[in-house]
Amino acid sequence: MWTKSITPRFGDIDGLRHINNCMLPIWFETAREPLFRLFHPHYDLNEEWRLIMARISVDFVNQMRLRAEVEIRTFIGKLGCSSFTVYQEAWQDGRLGAKGEAVVVHYDFPNGKSLPIPDPVRNELEKHLVDEEKFHHG
Amino acid sequence: MWTKSITPRFGDIDGLRHINNCMLPIWFETAREPLFRLFHPHYDLNEEWRLIMARISVDFVNQMRLRAEVEIRTFIGKLGCSSFTVYQEAWQDGRLGAKGEAVVVHYDFPNGKSLPIPDPVRNELEKHLVDEEKFHHG
Amino acid sequence: MWTKSITPRFGDIDGLRHINNCMLPIWFETAREPLFRLFHPHYDLNEEWRLIMARISVDFVNQMRLRAEVEIRTFIGKLGCSSFTVYQEAWQDGRLGAKGEAVVVHYDFPNGKSLPIPDPVRNELEKHLVDEEKFHHG
Amino acid sequence: MWTKSITPRFGDIDGLRHINNCMLPIWFETAREPLFRLFHPHYDLNEEWRLIMARISVDFVNQMRLRAEVEIRTFIGKLGCSSFTVYQEAWQDGRLGAKGEAVVVHYDFPNGKSLPIPDPVRNELEKHLVDEEKFHHG
């Protein structure tokens, strides 16, 4: 599990005075940084970048508010040959606010095809594997 | 089907010079306005608001770019007693860029429970129903 | 004058149910597109890009709300050798909501120095010059 | 001086692979939290809120990048009867990236008029006063 603390920004709440739903994909993306760095240690977004998002989803569990830090917990769910699923949770004040999944593909942009995940990276990802069953039903 | 044209904002692209994935939930939310107005004609976000998002997902199909308008097409997929699923597509230059789903619940915030969708609103929503099968496999 | 219509996005309002102040720089930037296209007709943000922002400011005049389109009006204020100042206004429901200024420099990134504005571009910019006195005191 | 560390979000950079200019007002706003809390200890954005922004400006000094934390330093510049000016700086990797000013007014929304800053709050603000001359020319 990786953890990342997020300070909600003033503009992250909406007219209902809750965190706007659209912030969650942004926060989850921010919290995937250590995972991106396994593939791209320098975290430079340039022509060398080889990760592409195939799908994201967010389940909204409890409303979150402006005035407290949010902890994002990031796990690896499924780990395939060239793609993997990231499981994430957003916690605030000891309550689960949202759960997210993101399907990430190791991808060769110039040739438009997926690439196997290199073994050293795979070994690191495996350390963060979570029991999928538990994530969905816990 | 409702349609909404979105002008990508300068900051909506990321370091890979594609539309940042996190913009799609924002664009889809913006395009749900006519649907929100069926429930709340004045579109005021205040204590009277009775809609809550349960879940969103986005499938990324083709990368989108800064320099052309994006058309968001919005349909109703499933229509339940108190909730419904919105299907949405983002098109740019004649290509499908992304597909999204959003589960919306008609909700009584003060009492914390779901509310039946009023019949006049249901009748309007039904006019925008799309064949679910076609949406997923078309 | 260039004009651009902006649909406020659901998340553009804040907890006070007004347009969040930080949206104005984003909207003004979006409305500068035709101006950027004078320099870069294809509007590709890549190594060829030669415009840099030196300064922005926004005066908040009247609060704006979610439920109506905002018209951004864009003028050229001062026009120097290698830089120019953009004046912008945001109008909603016939009321001025905010005024903005942006200082833009024609800039050679690789060599780190400003570049003269080419004459054909200058001629186009001049067509949009506004009386500075009037903008500030009108 | 108050300090706040900001983690640039993946989508905070633009197609030029620098921090998008429009992020600075957002970061500066986020970093004003301790200052807002002097007026509103619970930091609830509701009908009781009595602060309004009159003006913001940002000077862009050096380009900032995705891959390092940004430290926002926040000072009080001018302190008037009912308003004050916030001076802010964004630092990354030991370099000044941007400077900002924000004019904030203590404001009675229902009656539409400014309010004197209460003495206990004024005393706190004074502790963070910076030499204006130094800020502008340092």
Side-chain angles (χ1 to χ4, degrees), chain D residues 39-136:
Chain D
F39 291 87
H40 297 289
H42 294 295
Y43 201 31
D44 282 324
L45 283 168
N46 58 25
E47 288 72 15
E48 307 293 316
W49 193 261
R50 288 188 307 272
L51 291 169
I52 195 169
M53 307 302 295
R55 184 166 206 277
I56 57 169
S57 66
V58 181
D59 283 276
F60 302 102
V61 182
N62 281 297
Q63 287 154 10
M64 289 181 283
R65 298 182 173 279
L66 176 64
R67 59 172 183 268
E69 291 288 300
V70 174
E71 185 184 280
I72 309 293
R73 300 177 187 169
T74 300
F75 315 86
I76 301 300
K78 297 167 212 161
L79 183 53
C81 171
S82 60
S83 70
F84 55 97
T85 303
V86 185
Y87 288 166
Q88 295 181 286
E89 296 173 342
W91 290 82
Q92 189 182 47
D93 293 329
R95 275 203 328 174
L96 179 63
K99 297 200 296 184
E101 290 192 26
V103 179
V104 186
V105 184
H106 192 217
Y107 194 73
D108 176 351
F109 281 87
N111 295 304
K113 58 179 188 184
S114 60
L115 288 172
I117 299 168
D119 282 345
V121 174
R122 174 179 301 276
N123 292 343
E124 285 303 311
L125 293 175
E126 279 175 349
K127 293 178 188 169
H128 298 273
L129 267 170
V130 70
D131 181 350
E132 194 186 341
E133 197 71 18
K134 193 177 161 207
F135 184 79
H136 282 98

Side-chain angles (χ1 to χ4, degrees), chain A residues 4 7 9-13 17 26-27 29-30 36-37 42-47 49 66-67, chain D residues 4 7 9-13 17 26-27 29-30 36-37 42-47 49 66-67:
Chain A
K4 172 73 189 168
T7 305
R9 296 175 182 175
F10 198 92
D12 288 354
I13 54 169
R17 292 167 188 159
I26 295 173
W27 293 355
E29 182 184 65
T30 300
F36 291 150
R37 284 187 185 272
H42 294 297
Y43 200 32
D44 281 326
L45 284 168
N46 59 23
E47 287 73 15
W49 193 260
L66 176 63
R67 60 174 182 262
Chain D
K4 171 74 191 167
T7 306
R9 298 175 181 173
F10 199 93
D12 288 355
I13 55 170
R17 293 169 187 157
I26 295 173
W27 294 354
E29 182 185 65
T30 300
F36 290 151
R37 282 187 186 272
H42 294 295
Y43 201 31
D44 282 324
L45 283 168
N46 58 25
E47 288 72 15
W49 193 261
L66 176 64
R67 59 172 183 268

Side-chain angles (χ1 to χ4, degrees), chain A residues 2 4 6 26-34 72 74 88:
Chain A
W2 295 275
K4 172 73 189 168
I6 300 274
I26 295 173
W27 293 355
F28 285 146
E29 182 184 65
T30 300
R32 289 194 291 268
E33 176 181 337
I72 308 294
T74 299
Q88 294 180 289

Side-chain angles (χ1 to χ4, degrees), chain A residues 61-80:
Chain A
V61 182
N62 281 298
Q63 287 154 10
M64 288 181 283
R65 298 183 173 278
L66 176 63
R67 60 174 182 262
E69 291 289 299
V70 174
E71 185 184 280
I72 308 294
R73 300 178 187 170
T74 299
F75 315 87
I76 302 300
K78 298 166 212 159
L79 184 52

Side-chain angles (χ1 to χ4, degrees), chain A residues 1-113:
Chain A
M1 184 177 79
W2 295 275
T3 60
K4 172 73 189 168
S5 179
I6 300 274
T7 305
R9 296 175 182 175
F10 198 92
D12 288 354
I13 54 169
D14 62 22
L16 302 178
R17 292 167 188 159
H18 303 135
I19 295 298
N20 180 252
N21 298 309
C22 300
M23 289 305 120
L24 271 301
I26 295 173
W27 293 355
F28 285 146
E29 182 184 65
T30 300
R32 289 194 291 268
E33 176 181 337
L35 191 157
F36 291 150
R37 284 187 185 272
L38 293 179
F39 292 85
H40 297 288
H42 294 297
Y43 200 32
D44 281 326
L45 284 168
N46 59 23
E47 287 73 15
E48 308 292 317
W49 193 260
R50 288 188 309 272
L51 290 170
I52 195 169
M53 306 302 296
R55 183 165 207 277
I56 58 168
S57 65
V58 182
D59 282 276
F60 302 102
V61 182
N62 281 298
Q63 287 154 10
M64 288 181 283
R65 298 183 173 278
L66 176 63
R67 60 174 182 262
E69 291 289 299
V70 174
E71 185 184 280
I72 308 294
R73 300 178 187 170
T74 299
F75 315 87
I76 302 300
K78 298 166 212 159
L79 184 52
C81 171
S82 61
S83 71
F84 55 98
T85 303
V86 184
Y87 288 165
Q88 294 180 289
E89 295 174 341
W91 290 81
Q92 189 181 48
D93 294 328
R95 275 204 325 175
L96 178 63
K99 299 200 295 183
E101 291 192 26
V103 179
V104 186
V105 184
H106 192 219
Y107 194 74
D108 176 351
F109 280 88
N111 295 304
K113 59 178 187 182

